Amino acid sequence: MVGEEMSRELGGSLPVANVQALASSCSGDIPLRYLRPELQSEEVLMDDTPQIPTIDIRKLMVDDDDEMGKLHSACKEWGFFQMAFSGIHDADPSDTSVLSLQDRHRSHLVDTEQLKEILRPRQQMRAFMTMWRMDIRIQPYVIRAGFHGIYRLGHIAIDWPLITSLVERWRPETHTFHVPVGEMTITLQDVAILLGLRIHGPAVTGTCVFDVVPLCAELLGVIPPDDAIRGATISLRWLCIQLSTPAPDADEVTLERSARGFILALIGSFLFVNKKGTHVPMCFLPLLRDFTITATYSWGSAVLAHTYRELCRASLDRSRGISGCITLIQLINHDGVAEEVMEKMKADVQEFFKLPLKEKNAYAKQPTGVDGYGQNFVLSEEQKLDWADRFFLQTLPIPERKMRFWPQQPTSFRETLDKYSLELVKVSKCLLKLMAKNLAINPEQFANMFEDGRLSLRMNYYPPYEQASKVLGLTPHSDFGGLTLLVQVNEVQGLQVKRNGKWIPIRPLPGAFIVNIGDVVEILSNGEYKSIEHRAVVDPEKERLSIAAFYSPCDGTIIGPLPELTKENGPKYKSVSREEYLKYVLTRKLDGKSSVNLMKLES
């Protein structure tokens, strides 16, 4: 998790037998290492289960004070919560006199049957994705500039009747959609989470008064013909033809120019689509001169302002089409992880665990390192074992992926895992910023500690065992990272959390995530938020599958209490480098909250 060198030293684990194969071959008796006699003396609440904290992320997105209070309480008192995705909006404005443009509004023309057509599309993302497959060599430049998330979002089929319906409900006077349940709008936070664009920093602005030819020669390395230029815009098709396939021996300057063309085409086909959808304004090209500086601009603010303007234009005066970032308009009802991405991830994980053992063992973890198929944290021959098989992969940052462990079966696994990982990072960053607000610390500063941080996934398979009360699927522990997002793959329950010395079974809502506070957030918050000790039990009749994602700070982060939270009572935990912290946790077996307890200062 800290590069190849440290992976050789940390995270090593002794090999153990495959539990799925063991479960299918045993006649009832299993090796003693799997039996847990201590389970008989531990209390599990079955009938008097307390109400589990459930947080509605849609309410958080509109700064609902009650929901923010529930989030704070869940992090402080429980150390975990369910995250649901139902919708909530404010009531319609009681004073309709603000709707001063009603006589020009599209809805008035529809009501009087003067306008019946569906709006025409102008977004060209699909054509762009077809014409320009990103060369892997320019990917680092696109990432550095902050546009890789847009490309990874890919082409999403636009539901034009839905877009038309939304435009008919858009009110230029209030910049909100008026829908039956109230008003709703697109916010900067929507842009940041859904598109992954920066919403702070210098404004995206410039001049359209320049000579296109020398600018293209300098920054793109090619000179456009007259028929590719239209005023201060340039043809998207010409860009794709000229720059989409750099030569095999292309040098760094050539690759940078290709990356500029790629980003410029992405801007023109997806973010700032003009009336025709065929050209891109050249005013954006100077902003791509230095990719490091490009990444500091508030692209998200510019996209939102442009989208507002296009919604206002399309809602008035018999407009036949709509430009702007149409995908953003369609995605406003998608908070959290897209359902289709989550379901595909679940399906691919199920297919992987159905593969023959020989095929799965092709991705078996090595004695050193954490990636691969098999159990982690087995440090001795006497250690008790979990009744489970696991598949662990580091997915972000991209350069540290160990692709030899990424399955090629099912064939969609790699692409699905990539999309799922990027979605989870967006949700995690959002939650961290909201937690920071509740802690009265700078949200951006807190989230930046996780910028370019680590995301790892552990896919779990728990075979059934007829004497389920004698084994554990997952040893009691708290997660040593920042946040954990857990999703059930099938409907079999098994997660339990420890509260006041008793184990509480968790029954997640359909489609909800379980979010665990990790040890790192407990330490950074100086104990204001608590990590949660949890375990997994197995079912006597049915297999259980789940996917846990672990989000951790980036390299160079100091793991210790934030100074703003130590002013009253002083620090309660040590401060160490991230690398030293990993040595604490990756060289020990799972054992309750022992990892975070090692970080506590003596009273």
Side-chain angles (χ1 to χ4, degrees):
M1 302 175 80
V2 290
E4 188 67 32
E5 182 176 347
M6 187 164 287
S7 290
R8 288 198 298 267
E9 300 174 3
L10 301 177
S13 181
L14 297 176
V16 298
N18 178 267
V19 177
Q20 188 175 3
L22 182 63
S24 62
S25 62
C26 72
S27 58
D29 294 330
I30 59 174
L32 293 177
R33 292 181 69 187
Y34 292 97
L35 298 178
R36 305 290 188 109
E38 71 274 11
L39 296 177
Q40 308 306 314
S41 61
E42 295 186 332
E43 184 174 355
V44 179
L45 292 179
M46 299 303 293
D47 300 322
D48 191 24
T49 303
Q51 185 173 359
I52 305 303
T54 300
I55 306 300
D56 189 334
I57 194 169
R58 288 300 300 266
K59 294 182 181 180
L60 293 177
M61 300 292 282
V62 295
D63 289 329
D64 185 290
D65 289 339
D66 290 340
E67 207 68 15
M68 288 291 285
K70 288 170 61 178
L71 175 66
H72 183 63
S73 176
C75 296
K76 184 175 181 178
E77 305 297 334
W78 283 82
F80 96 109
F81 53 89
Q82 292 190 95
M83 184 170 64
F85 303 105
S86 61
I88 186 73
H89 308 290
D90 295 330
D92 243 335
S94 56
D95 183 5
T96 57
S97 65
V98 299
L99 305 181
S100 58
L101 299 173
Q102 178 61 23
D103 59 335
R104 294 175 52 200
H105 196 268
R106 184 179 179 89
S107 63
H108 172 70
L109 298 173
V110 172
D111 291 342
T112 57
E113 297 188 353
Q114 299 178 58
L115 187 64
K116 298 180 181 180
E117 297 89 349
I118 292 173
L119 286 169
R120 292 195 301 268
R122 289 170 180 161
Q123 183 169 297
Q124 298 294 318
M125 188 62 171
R126 182 176 183 178
F128 167 71
M129 297 287 286
T130 301
M131 287 191 293
W132 199 328
R133 299 288 183 181
M134 183 172 64
D135 190 305
I136 191 66
R137 293 173 295 169
I138 74 170
Q139 185 181 58
Y141 304 110
V142 178
I143 293 172
R144 190 190 310 166
F147 284 87
H148 191 252
I150 293 292
Y151 177 73
R152 291 307 308 164
L153 186 63
H155 168 65
I156 295 176
I158 300 299
D159 185 340
W160 286 106
L162 171 64
I163 297 297
T164 302
S165 179
L166 286 169
V167 170
E168 290 168 3
R169 287 161 175 77
W170 176 262
R171 296 292 177 171
E173 304 92 339
T174 59
H175 281 178
T176 56
F177 297 100
H178 288 214
V179 291
V181 294
E183 289 183 84
M184 58 181 288
T185 193
I186 310 171
T187 67
L188 281 173
Q189 201 164 34
D190 290 327
V191 178
I193 292 173
L194 298 175
L195 303 183
L197 290 175
R198 185 176 175 84
I199 57 174
H200 301 283
V204 176
T205 186
T207 179
C208 291
V209 182
F210 48 73
D211 192 335
V212 171
V213 172
L215 185 67
C216 287
E218 177 195 357
L219 297 181
L220 299 179
V222 288
I223 296 176
D226 291 343
D227 61 0
I229 301 173
R230 181 185 295 165
T233 69
I234 195 167
S235 165
L236 287 169
R237 181 175 178 80
W238 178 83
L239 272 177
C240 292
I241 293 172
Q242 294 295 318
L243 297 170
S244 61
T245 54
D249 59 348
D251 58 16
E252 184 174 352
V253 172
T254 302
L255 293 176
E256 285 185 350
R257 287 170 171 171
S258 179
R260 288 192 191 98
F262 180 86
I263 296 171
L264 194 61
L266 196 62
I267 289 171
S269 64
F270 185 77
L271 297 177
F272 299 96
V273 184
N274 67 7
K275 290 182 179 180
K276 297 291 185 182
T278 58
H279 287 62
V280 56
M282 289 298 289
C283 60
F284 295 112
L285 184 54
L287 302 179
L288 307 179
R289 188 183 304 273
D290 184 328
F291 294 133
T292 303
I293 296 175
T294 301
T296 67
Y297 287 109
S298 181
W299 291 97
S301 302
V303 168
L304 183 61
H306 182 67
T307 303
Y308 273 16
R309 187 183 71 182
E310 290 302 313
L311 279 166
C312 292
R313 185 195 57 76
S315 68
L316 298 175
D317 296 331
R318 299 178 179 271
S319 294
R320 305 293 182 181
I322 181 170
S323 303
C325 189
I326 310 302
T327 301
L328 176 62
I329 301 172
Q330 182 159 309
L331 290 178
I332 56 171
N333 286 317
H334 155 45
D335 297 299
V337 177
E339 182 179 359
E340 63 270 19
V341 176
M342 183 190 296
E343 293 304 315
K344 191 68 175 72
M345 188 73 246
K346 291 179 181 180
D348 283 354
V349 168
Q350 286 181 306
E351 288 302 310
F352 173 80
F353 281 112
K354 289 178 181 177
L355 292 174
L357 179 58
K358 183 178 180 180
E359 291 187 40
K360 293 196 289 278
N361 278 339
Y363 309 103
K365 73 179 302 297
Q366 302 301 302
T368 57
V370 294
D371 287 71
Y373 177 61
Q375 292 200 22
N376 293 102
F377 302 106
V378 180
L379 305 180
S380 73
E381 297 291 349
E382 295 76 32
Q383 184 178 327
K384 289 293 185 179
L385 299 177
D386 294 337
W387 190 253
D389 292 323
R390 301 196 173 90
F391 191 27
F392 188 94
L393 292 173
Q394 301 175 77
T395 63
L396 294 173
I398 292 174
E400 293 196 12
R401 291 176 175 175
K402 297 175 176 61
M403 298 307 296
R404 68 173 298 268
F405 295 106
W406 285 50
Q408 298 186 34
Q409 293 294 331
T411 55
S412 58
F413 189 98
R414 292 186 173 190
E415 181 181 357
T416 303
L417 181 58
D418 187 32
K419 290 183 178 180
Y420 186 68
S421 299
L422 292 171
E423 295 262 314
L424 291 180
V425 167
K426 294 175 187 176
V427 174
S428 299
K429 286 181 178 179
C430 174
L431 288 173
L432 287 168
K433 289 180 181 180
L434 293 167
M435 291 176 188
K437 285 184 180 180
N438 276 334
L439 291 169
I441 58 178
N442 187 311
E444 290 298 326
Q445 181 181 347
F446 189 54
N448 284 344
M449 299 178 72
F450 293 79
E451 191 71 27
D452 298 322
R454 266 57 185 169
L455 185 80
S456 303
L457 262 68
R458 188 188 69 215
M459 293 146 275
N460 308 297
Y461 178 86
Y462 304 97
Y465 181 55
E466 59 184 10
Q467 300 183 64
S469 61
K470 295 183 178 181
V471 299
L472 271 180
L474 180 61
T475 298
H477 69 289
S478 57
D479 297 325
F480 63 78
L483 292 178
T484 301
L485 276 68
L486 176 77
V487 65
Q488 297 272 118
V489 173
N490 58 5
E491 300 305 315
V492 181
Q493 311 299 325
L495 176 66
Q496 297 181 350
V497 301
K498 196 170 191 178
R499 192 163 191 254
N500 299 325
K502 300 175 182 179
W503 291 104
I504 301 172
I506 304 301
R507 299 174 179 83
L509 295 172
F513 276 100
I514 295 294
V515 180
N516 291 343
I517 302 300
D519 294 339
V520 165
V521 168
E522 176 173 333
I523 294 166
L524 293 174
S525 70
N526 203 31
E528 179 72 7
Y529 289 169
K530 300 291 193 297
S531 62
I532 182 70
E533 184 177 351
H534 56 283
R535 69 181 187 182
V537 298
V538 302
D539 191 269
E541 299 177 351
K542 300 177 182 178
E543 64 184 13
R544 175 176 178 258
L545 294 94
S546 66
I547 307 170
F550 308 97
Y551 193 49
S552 301
C554 53
D555 288 348
T557 302
I558 298 299
I559 308 298
L562 296 172
E564 306 96 305
L565 302 176
T566 63
K567 294 178 180 178
E568 291 188 10
N569 300 311
K572 299 177 183 178
Y573 303 82
K574 305 172 187 175
S575 292
V576 299
S577 68
R578 182 178 180 276
E579 291 71 22
E580 186 177 352
Y581 174 72
L582 288 178
K583 290 180 183 179
Y584 272 115
V585 298
L586 291 180
T587 56
R588 291 171 170 79
K589 66 179 182 179
L590 300 181
D591 183 19
K593 294 193 65 171
S594 61
S595 295
V596 73
N597 289 337
L598 285 169
M599 291 287 292
K600 288 184 176 179
L601 294 170
E602 295 183 6
S603 302

